[in-house]
Amino acid sequence: MQRICVIGGSRYFGKLLVKRLQADGHRVTVINRGSTPPPAGVEHLVVDRNDEAALVAALGARTFDVVVDQVCYTPVQAAIAARAFAGRTRRYVMTSTIEVYDPAGAAVPGSEGTAVPTGAAVPEESVDPGAWPVAMDLPWHDEAYLEAHYAEGKRQAEAVLTRAGGFAFASVRSAHVLGGGEREFTGRLAHYTRRIAHGEEITVHARALPTVFIHYAELADLLRWAATGSGFTGPLNACSDGLLDVRDLAAAVAAQTGREPVYRTVAAGGTASPFSFDRHYAMSNARAKELGFAFSRTADWLPGAVAEALAPSAAPTT
């Protein structure tokens, strides 16, 4: 049994992670702003993680074996967490994103990473958080700025926690997450099920290129493993086996709706439907496999995820 703190953990794979950690017999504490209570038996600290003094006061004398941070988006948040949890935990796991590799297939401009050939699955070392520049003085508290610079916020958050030194740090760079029906609050898969079922257009790039995905339950399991079953440090890519492009995804929906997708090609540089990419956008999951995590195949779980999204109860919530 371990004492585990989950920052966030109020929805989707974070909520499932909390339930699974609790079912494993761990003592779980959830920190969030109180919008959603955790399951019965889970300690709940209601506090804004952006308020350092309030966070430290809420933590009191508590210590943890592991902290899993589901909602760290900026270097400012990371720096607050690094100070608040230094000496309180031996391990810190941050949920990060495939978007740290944008554009995929090469080292991100300005990084000290190693370029890989176009079309290759990107390994973790392509974006090295230990070498990534950090700028605390950017307007990270501005929601519009943060939304427009989501990937950079995640890269810099990883960089701050990598250099913090108060605990062993690992980041899990998640692929695009699907599954769960109404739990999938972004509505990206529902975009396809709704539009294809009603004969509405799907907008795509002229040459839509593939990306990688992960089922929300598999991501919860990987985070549980990262927290309690593995001692790796540094970044780790998390994606199911197998590439999909936007037409593959639409075909999976069409197979269950009985209606063929209607496509409209956008001009170069235009905005297309979710998961239509004009660049190869795939990660390598080789490191996680070498460390002992076994991934499923996207083709095996995607039909079930589509069925959940088509269910009448699956209208996304915000």
Side-chain angles (χ1 to χ4, degrees):
M1 183 184 71
Q2 298 187 53
R3 185 161 181 80
I4 302 173
C5 175
V6 178
I7 306 176
S10 63
R11 60 183 180 180
Y12 208 27
F13 57 85
K15 188 174 184 178
L16 182 58
L17 169 65
V18 170
K19 290 180 178 178
R20 291 190 172 177
L21 289 171
Q22 184 185 33
D24 288 342
H26 300 297
R27 296 173 61 192
V28 183
T29 297
V30 166
I31 293 175
N32 59 35
R33 290 179 294 184
S35 59
T36 305
V42 170
E43 183 182 41
H44 190 195
L45 301 182
V46 179
V47 63
D48 184 347
R49 64 161 308 149
N50 298 306
D51 185 335
E52 185 171 352
L55 176 60
V56 170
L59 288 169
R62 292 173 179 82
T63 60
F64 306 97
D65 295 294
V66 189
V67 174
V68 182
D69 193 341
Q70 295 282 84
V71 288
C72 188
Y73 302 113
T74 75
V76 175
Q77 291 176 327
I80 290 171
R83 291 189 294 266
F85 287 96
R88 293 184 188 272
T89 185
R90 59 177 177 80
R91 181 167 176 77
Y92 199 103
V93 179
M94 172 189 155
T95 302
S96 191
T97 172
I98 187 176
E99 293 191 36
V100 301
Y101 298 115
D102 189 13
V108 179
S111 80
E112 300 299 325
T114 302
V116 297
T118 299
V122 182
E124 289 85 355
E125 58 266 26
S126 293
V127 174
D128 176 9
W132 198 266
V134 172
M136 292 288 193
D137 57 348
L138 295 173
W140 295 115
H141 296 293
D142 182 278
E143 290 187 9
Y145 181 87
L146 180 55
E147 183 176 358
H149 297 83
Y150 172 73
E152 182 61 19
K154 284 288 193 180
R155 285 189 287 260
Q156 292 195 26
E158 284 192 41
V160 169
L161 290 165
T162 295
R163 301 167 197 168
F167 36 66
F169 174 65
S171 60
V172 172
R173 294 172 174 171
S174 170
H176 310 291
V177 188
L178 296 178
E182 62 183 353
R183 301 176 189 87
E184 201 275 284
F185 63 94
T186 69
R188 292 178 296 184
L189 184 54
H191 170 89
Y192 288 91
T193 56
R194 181 176 63 251
R195 297 187 75 83
I196 292 173
H198 291 89
E200 299 173 0
E201 289 180 339
I202 301 295
T203 52
V204 298
H205 294 95
R207 183 172 176 244
L209 294 174
T211 188
V212 285
F213 295 86
I214 191 167
H215 192 272
Y216 86 107
E218 184 166 42
L219 182 54
D221 280 339
L222 188 143
L223 288 166
R224 177 175 61 174
W225 169 78
T228 65
S230 178
F232 76 89
T233 57
L236 187 85
N237 292 339
C239 57
S240 302
D241 290 333
L243 302 177
L244 289 179
D245 63 30
V246 65
R247 293 177 185 269
D248 297 326
L249 182 61
V253 175
Q256 296 192 44
T257 60
R259 301 195 67 164
E260 288 301 311
V262 178
Y263 296 109
R264 177 173 62 83
T265 302
V266 299
T271 301
S273 292
F275 311 129
S276 180
F277 295 104
D278 56 3
R279 61 207 181 277
H280 189 272
Y281 204 12
M283 301 186 295
S284 167
N285 61 13
R287 185 182 186 220
K289 289 180 176 179
E290 290 169 0
L291 290 168
F293 191 84
F295 288 98
S296 66
R297 295 175 65 249
T298 302
D300 291 338
W301 57 255
L302 183 59
V306 170
E308 288 178 311
L310 284 166
S313 62
T317 57
T318 58

